[in-house]
Amino acid sequence: MTHVENNKFFKGRGAQVNTHNKFLKSKYVSDHEEGIDELMLEDTATQLFEEHPKNIVSKSNSPDLPFMLSINPYQGCEHGCLYCYARNAHEYYGFSPGLDFERKIVVKRNAAALLEKFFNKKGYVPDTIMMSGNTDCYQPIERKLKITRSLLEVFLKYKHPVSLISKNNLIMRDTDILSELAKLDLVHVAVTLNSLNESLRLKLEPRTVTGQSRIKLISKLTDLNIPVRLMCAPIIPGLNSDEIPVIVKAAADAGASGANFTLVRLNGAIAEIFTDWIHKAFPDRADKVLHMIASCHEGKLNDSRWGKRMGGDGKVAESIHQLFHISVNRFMKGRFLKPLNMTHFSPAGGKQLDLF
């Protein structure tokens, strides 16, 4: 089946297909040979799967990431963002990176206990831990399970620095903890926003809060003296790239202390998922957008080059970089986030005294 044979659009979900898991011998099919033309996909309810990991803090070896340590209390994400690079990781759990990623969520209820154990390892030296480097730690199920909140309680207990990134205003539930962390310079919050066009958001990020809600979130966090910045990600040429100045200005007016961006890249199964989606969601400009994305990554949809994969290169990428930097200089010049404090950390046994 090609991308244009069935134009049925799955409302409320990002991916429109369940791509094949490369680790499995069996394969998902979306058609059959009994003369029925309907697409065999079910918009089933979200399912939760329990994982009992032995460790919760992951260490990255990527030289182009601003953080080395991260925590992901959830794998998979109900937000359903089309472009999400975390989709590929769902294959390790035996699921598809497509629809499975947003309706089969792996949860780690013992995350807080594991973090406390990690902090009390002999010789541990504090370093900023990112929540979440992969899937959103404030996705919808967090409202009920409160795993992220339990982790923040541990960060506060041990006075350990943490950096949060999310696109959900559920963060406001935990401002009591975040405010205490902020008083000690122990927290940074990044709010992800890549469009203020509601029609686009509903298709691109179907189960997220509105763009205007995220601007209000930035404003509320700022009012509480919780350091917050804009993460304008990902920028997709031909879809949301023209919105950069408007988004940066709106975030600046709300009080954001800085901004970063990444350019979309479609690694692994995401290329198939995104290609299928854009032909259904925006058939009139699908080929143009795909061509522009490829032009930013040496003619390919994917990109694994250190230092280039998230920013791209070529004329299209250069124009996006220019527009972003001009916008930040115009609306956020002179703003910055105060560095996180590493000196407050104290393990259960107390601080180790310096002998000299």
Side-chain angles (χ1 to χ4, degrees):
M1 185 177 74
T2 67
H3 299 296
V4 292
E5 284 179 12
N6 192 309
N7 289 320
K8 180 182 177 181
F9 196 85
F10 238 177
K11 291 183 179 179
R13 294 293 183 185
Q16 303 296 300
V17 292
N18 245 345
T19 53
H20 175 55
N21 184 327
K22 63 178 178 288
F23 297 116
L24 301 181
K25 291 182 180 179
S26 56
K27 191 171 185 178
Y28 289 99
V29 294
S30 56
D31 53 7
H32 46 79
E33 298 177 357
E34 296 183 10
I36 301 176
D37 295 327
E38 289 82 2
L39 195 64
M40 291 179 61
L41 291 175
E42 296 181 2
D43 192 9
T44 56
T46 301
Q47 298 174 279
L48 300 184
F49 295 82
E50 300 277 348
E51 184 185 6
H52 303 281
K54 294 182 179 179
N55 301 294
I56 195 63
V57 179
S58 300
K59 187 172 183 178
S60 170
N61 59 358
S62 302
D64 56 355
L65 289 179
F67 59 90
M68 295 300 293
L69 303 177
S70 64
I71 293 177
N72 294 286
Y74 305 102
Q75 173 57 41
C77 185
E78 263 195 293
H79 283 158
C81 303
L82 242 295
Y83 49 77
C84 185
Y85 55 82
R87 286 181 178 274
N88 288 319
H90 226 45
E91 293 183 319
Y92 293 105
Y93 291 86
F95 300 134
S96 166
L99 281 164
D100 280 356
F101 175 78
E102 49 201 90
R103 63 187 185 186
K104 294 184 177 181
I105 311 300
V106 179
V107 303
K108 307 169 187 178
R109 295 180 192 262
N110 62 337
L114 291 173
L115 179 60
E116 194 155 7
K117 183 179 178 181
F118 179 80
F119 285 162
N120 287 300
K121 283 184 177 180
K122 187 177 180 180
Y124 172 68
V125 178
D127 193 7
T128 303
I129 295 179
M130 166 67 77
M131 290 178 53
S132 299
N134 213 13
T135 55
D136 201 316
C137 58
Y138 279 106
Q139 61 177 284
I141 193 60
E142 167 62 20
R143 188 175 298 279
K144 177 182 178 181
L145 298 186
K146 300 181 180 179
I147 300 175
T148 295
R149 183 175 175 84
S150 69
L151 286 164
L152 289 177
E153 288 171 344
V154 175
F155 279 109
L156 181 58
K157 176 182 176 180
Y158 286 85
K159 296 181 173 58
H160 191 286
V162 59
S163 180
L164 293 170
I165 183 166
S166 178
K167 58 186 65 174
N168 197 330
N169 53 15
L170 179 57
I171 295 176
M172 288 302 299
R173 180 200 64 190
D174 296 337
T175 52
D176 56 334
I177 303 176
L178 294 174
S179 292
E180 292 303 311
L181 287 166
K183 290 176 184 177
L184 297 171
D185 297 323
L186 292 175
V187 67
H188 286 167
V189 175
V191 175
T192 305
L193 173 62
N194 60 27
S195 179
L196 290 170
N197 178 336
E198 273 302 286
S199 177
L200 175 59
R201 182 198 64 81
L202 283 168
K203 291 183 177 180
L204 191 63
E205 304 175 345
R207 295 193 174 193
T208 59
V209 299
T210 68
Q212 287 299 333
S213 291
R214 291 180 235 183
I215 293 297
K216 290 178 182 177
L217 172 60
I218 292 173
S219 179
K220 290 176 181 178
L221 292 172
T222 300
D223 289 344
L224 291 170
N225 295 316
I226 297 170
V228 59
R229 63 187 171 89
L230 166 70
M231 174 52 78
C232 196
I235 297 300
I236 306 171
L239 272 189
N240 63 359
S241 50
D242 62 321
E243 290 191 67
I244 290 174
V246 176
I247 295 171
V248 173
K249 183 180 186 304
D253 290 345
S257 295
N260 297 92
F261 87 99
T262 61
L263 199 65
V264 70
R265 62 189 182 101
L266 306 175
N267 282 22
I270 305 169
E272 180 182 348
I273 293 165
F274 188 92
T275 300
D276 172 83
W277 168 84
I278 198 166
H279 276 99
K280 292 172 180 174
F282 299 99
D284 58 326
R285 49 177 157 161
D287 290 335
K288 180 181 178 181
V289 170
L290 290 170
H291 176 75
M292 292 176 75
I293 293 173
S295 73
C296 297
H297 301 290
E298 295 190 322
K300 299 175 292 184
L301 293 178
N302 59 49
D303 196 341
S304 299
R305 299 171 295 160
W306 300 129
K308 293 289 185 182
R309 56 184 184 148
M310 292 181 283
D313 51 19
K315 291 182 178 180
V316 173
E318 287 173 9
S319 66
I320 289 172
H321 278 264
Q322 226 175 19
L323 181 59
F324 183 81
H325 291 305
I326 289 171
S327 301
V328 171
N329 286 334
R330 180 179 179 186
F331 300 116
M332 293 188 183
K333 191 171 184 179
R335 300 188 191 186
F336 63 92
L337 290 175
K338 191 176 179 181
L340 295 175
N341 193 316
M342 305 290 168
T343 65
H344 295 304
F345 174 70
S346 182
K351 289 188 177 182
Q352 189 172 12
L353 297 178
D354 192 340
L355 297 176
F356 303 99

